[in-house]
Every structure is written in structure tokens, then in C-alpha cells.
Amino acid sequence: RYFNSFTSLFGKREYLLGVAFAVLQKQYAFAVELCVRGEKLFSDSVFAKIKQEIIKNLRQNELPQKSTFKKQLVNFINRG
């Protein structure tokens, strides 16, 4: 599966959903990219927090196996 791109026409919710779908599809680089863009566009620290979690889990090589991260990501989105 392939995510094309996101534009500034999308809102915060769409960016958060894009991040969630990118993580679920194991497209972590794109998820981080969306977090960077979302943080710049919306000045919201939730994108930085999600990005840090993705990077931390990638460094620990835990992301593909851990479902707790997915739950945390859903909680972030629900708060947004």
C-alpha cells in the first residue's frame, strides 16, 4: 500500500489520521514526515510527541511488534 502525499488543504484531524494509517501500514518514515509537517502547520506539540514515540520505538526496534504503541497513538488522536 502506498500513501501519496498530504497537502496543506488537510486539517489537523486528517494529518493525525494520516499518521495513524502510516504507522498501521508500517510506513514509519512517512508517519514522521507527516508529524513534522503537522507540527509546522498547526503549531501543536502532539505531532512532536508522536514523532518522538515513533523514532524511539524504531531505535529500540519495537515498533512492529508492540501493539501498546498503536494504543498510545489512538489515545493521542482521540485527544486531538
mmCIF file of all heavy atoms in Angstrom, residues 2 7 10 20 25 31 41 45-46 48 56 62 69 76 80:
data_model
loop_
_atom_site.group_PDB
_atom_site.id
_atom_site.type_symbol
_atom_site.label_atom_id
_atom_site.label_comp_id
_atom_site.label_asym_id
_atom_site.label_seq_id
_atom_site.Cartn_x
_atom_site.Cartn_y
_atom_site.Cartn_z
ATOM 1 N N TYR A 2 0.356 2.250 -0.583
ATOM 2 C CA TYR A 2 1.164 3.447 -0.783
ATOM 3 C C TYR A 2 0.360 4.690 -0.448
ATOM 4 O O TYR A 2 -0.768 4.854 -0.905
ATOM 5 C CB TYR A 2 1.628 3.494 -2.246
ATOM 6 C CG TYR A 2 2.385 4.724 -2.607
ATOM 7 C CD1 TYR A 2 3.698 4.877 -2.203
ATOM 8 C CD2 TYR A 2 1.800 5.729 -3.356
ATOM 9 C CE1 TYR A 2 4.411 6.009 -2.530
ATOM 10 C CE2 TYR A 2 2.504 6.859 -3.691
ATOM 11 C CZ TYR A 2 3.803 6.995 -3.278
ATOM 12 O OH TYR A 2 4.506 8.108 -3.605
ATOM 13 N N THR A 7 -1.417 17.517 1.589
ATOM 14 C CA THR A 7 -1.227 18.937 1.275
ATOM 15 C C THR A 7 -1.711 19.760 2.451
ATOM 16 O O THR A 7 -2.313 19.249 3.388
ATOM 17 C CB THR A 7 -2.018 19.336 0.015
ATOM 18 O OG1 THR A 7 -3.412 19.226 0.308
ATOM 19 C CG2 THR A 7 -1.662 18.461 -1.166
ATOM 20 N N PHE A 10 -5.480 19.795 4.057
ATOM 21 C CA PHE A 10 -5.997 18.937 5.110
ATOM 22 C C PHE A 10 -5.870 19.622 6.462
ATOM 23 O O PHE A 10 -4.958 20.395 6.702
ATOM 24 C CB PHE A 10 -5.245 17.603 5.143
ATOM 25 C CG PHE A 10 -5.505 16.740 3.945
ATOM 26 C CD1 PHE A 10 -4.494 16.448 3.058
ATOM 27 C CD2 PHE A 10 -6.761 16.204 3.711
ATOM 28 C CE1 PHE A 10 -4.722 15.649 1.951
ATOM 29 C CE2 PHE A 10 -7.010 15.403 2.616
ATOM 30 C CZ PHE A 10 -5.982 15.127 1.723
ATOM 31 N N ALA A 20 -1.649 7.902 11.813
ATOM 32 C CA ALA A 20 -2.114 6.611 12.332
ATOM 33 C C ALA A 20 -2.112 5.546 11.234
ATOM 34 O O ALA A 20 -1.616 4.433 11.437
ATOM 35 C CB ALA A 20 -3.518 6.760 12.914
ATOM 36 N N GLN A 25 0.327 0.868 8.538
ATOM 37 C CA GLN A 25 0.848 0.278 7.308
ATOM 38 C C GLN A 25 2.372 0.108 7.345
ATOM 39 O O GLN A 25 2.989 -0.241 6.352
ATOM 40 C CB GLN A 25 0.445 1.131 6.102
ATOM 41 C CG GLN A 25 -1.033 1.145 5.826
ATOM 42 C CD GLN A 25 -1.563 -0.228 5.468
ATOM 43 O OE1 GLN A 25 -0.951 -0.947 4.689
ATOM 44 N NE2 GLN A 25 -2.686 -0.607 6.050
ATOM 45 N N ALA A 31 5.109 8.553 8.316
ATOM 46 C CA ALA A 31 4.442 8.983 9.549
ATOM 47 C C ALA A 31 5.233 10.109 10.211
ATOM 48 O O ALA A 31 4.649 11.109 10.651
ATOM 49 C CB ALA A 31 4.281 7.805 10.503
ATOM 50 N N LEU A 41 2.464 23.174 10.534
ATOM 51 C CA LEU A 41 1.202 23.761 10.085
ATOM 52 C C LEU A 41 0.279 24.165 11.229
ATOM 53 O O LEU A 41 -0.390 25.186 11.163
ATOM 54 C CB LEU A 41 0.446 22.773 9.185
ATOM 55 C CG LEU A 41 0.944 22.615 7.766
ATOM 56 C CD1 LEU A 41 0.240 21.431 7.084
ATOM 57 C CD2 LEU A 41 0.680 23.885 6.969
ATOM 58 N N SER A 45 1.986 20.485 19.722
ATOM 59 C CA SER A 45 3.048 19.612 20.217
ATOM 60 C C SER A 45 2.687 18.130 20.141
ATOM 61 O O SER A 45 3.563 17.277 20.294
ATOM 62 C CB SER A 45 3.412 19.983 21.657
ATOM 63 O OG SER A 45 2.306 19.755 22.507
ATOM 64 N N VAL A 46 1.423 17.799 19.907
ATOM 65 C CA VAL A 46 1.044 16.389 19.813
ATOM 66 C C VAL A 46 1.808 15.714 18.676
ATOM 67 O O VAL A 46 2.201 14.546 18.789
ATOM 68 C CB VAL A 46 -0.487 16.211 19.654
ATOM 69 C CG1 VAL A 46 -0.978 16.657 18.300
ATOM 70 C CG2 VAL A 46 -0.872 14.766 19.908
ATOM 71 N N ALA A 48 4.852 16.442 17.672
ATOM 72 C CA ALA A 48 6.218 16.212 18.148
ATOM 73 C C ALA A 48 6.265 15.001 19.073
ATOM 74 O O ALA A 48 7.189 14.188 19.005
ATOM 75 C CB ALA A 48 6.750 17.451 18.867
ATOM 76 N N LYS A 56 11.634 6.731 18.820
ATOM 77 C CA LYS A 56 12.104 5.942 19.966
ATOM 78 C C LYS A 56 11.867 4.457 19.735
ATOM 79 O O LYS A 56 12.752 3.626 19.942
ATOM 80 C CB LYS A 56 11.396 6.394 21.245
ATOM 81 C CG LYS A 56 11.830 5.618 22.487
ATOM 82 C CD LYS A 56 11.074 6.078 23.712
ATOM 83 C CE LYS A 56 9.821 5.245 23.812
ATOM 84 N NZ LYS A 56 9.022 5.480 25.011
ATOM 85 N N GLU A 62 11.181 -1.840 18.346
ATOM 86 C CA GLU A 62 9.999 -2.390 18.992
ATOM 87 C C GLU A 62 8.722 -2.107 18.224
ATOM 88 O O GLU A 62 7.706 -2.720 18.490
ATOM 89 C CB GLU A 62 9.845 -1.813 20.404
ATOM 90 C CG GLU A 62 10.951 -2.215 21.336
ATOM 91 C CD GLU A 62 10.781 -1.613 22.718
ATOM 92 O OE1 GLU A 62 9.833 -0.845 22.926
ATOM 93 O OE2 GLU A 62 11.595 -1.913 23.579
ATOM 94 N N PHE A 69 2.083 0.726 21.427
ATOM 95 C CA PHE A 69 2.316 1.986 20.742
ATOM 96 C C PHE A 69 1.090 2.388 19.929
ATOM 97 O O PHE A 69 0.697 3.538 19.907
ATOM 98 C CB PHE A 69 3.549 1.921 19.834
ATOM 99 C CG PHE A 69 3.712 3.167 19.012
ATOM 100 C CD1 PHE A 69 4.139 4.337 19.610
ATOM 101 C CD2 PHE A 69 3.404 3.173 17.676
ATOM 102 C CE1 PHE A 69 4.268 5.500 18.876
ATOM 103 C CE2 PHE A 69 3.531 4.320 16.927
ATOM 104 C CZ PHE A 69 3.964 5.492 17.528
ATOM 105 N N PHE A 76 -3.634 9.549 21.557
ATOM 106 C CA PHE A 76 -3.241 10.884 21.126
ATOM 107 C C PHE A 76 -4.248 11.443 20.142
ATOM 108 O O PHE A 76 -4.653 12.605 20.248
ATOM 109 C CB PHE A 76 -1.862 10.861 20.448
ATOM 110 C CG PHE A 76 -0.700 11.004 21.387
ATOM 111 C CD1 PHE A 76 0.302 10.053 21.389
ATOM 112 C CD2 PHE A 76 -0.599 12.075 22.244
ATOM 113 C CE1 PHE A 76 1.401 10.172 22.225
ATOM 114 C CE2 PHE A 76 0.481 12.214 23.091
ATOM 115 C CZ PHE A 76 1.485 11.258 23.090
ATOM 116 N N GLY A 80 -6.872 14.787 20.320
ATOM 117 C CA GLY A 80 -6.694 15.891 19.371
ATOM 118 C C GLY A 80 -7.952 16.379 18.861
ATOM 119 O O GLY A 80 -8.690 17.134 18.813
#
